[in-house]
Amino acid sequence: KVKSQLEEKEGKTFDVFTAVEFKTQVVAGTNYFIKVHVGNDEFMHLRVFKSLPHVNEPLSLHSYQSSKTKHDELSFF
């Protein structure tokens, strides 16, 4: 659901976009930290926010880190 948001921010499209790991953090909603394989040996770390159910807002890409590798630790950012 956030692939198009990332593609817009990066100004390119990703043929490969596969989540390989994730962590969660409960705040006033939930932050999802997701390691995504975007092709070749390239990975990106995404922070996606999901609001509380009563707010009824769509998932939003809050921030991301590019130039990651498969072995980079997924941490809160």
Side-chain angles (χ1 to χ4, degrees):
K1 292 191 176 193
V2 297
K3 179 182 178 190
S4 61
Q5 293 176 46
L6 180 62
E7 288 175 336
E8 185 177 321
K9 289 179 186 258
E10 280 286 291
K12 60 183 176 183
T13 58
F14 297 103
D15 293 331
V16 176
F17 197 82
T18 308
V20 295
E21 181 182 350
F22 78 95
K23 295 180 179 183
T24 60
Q25 176 187 41
V26 177
V27 290
T30 305
N31 281 323
Y32 291 91
F33 297 87
I34 308 167
K35 182 186 292 187
V36 178
H37 179 225
V38 293
N40 299 318
D41 291 330
E42 295 182 55
F43 290 79
M44 299 183 91
H45 293 181
L46 312 181
R47 184 166 86 185
V48 176
F49 179 71
K50 181 179 181 182
S51 64
L52 294 171
H54 73 278
V55 179
N56 199 26
E57 291 182 359
L59 290 175
S60 64
L61 176 63
H62 186 272
S63 57
Y64 65 95
Q65 298 173 336
S66 56
S67 301
K68 296 293 186 175
T69 69
K70 181 178 182 177
H71 302 291
D72 285 339
E73 181 181 352
L74 181 60
S75 59
F76 301 121
F77 61 92

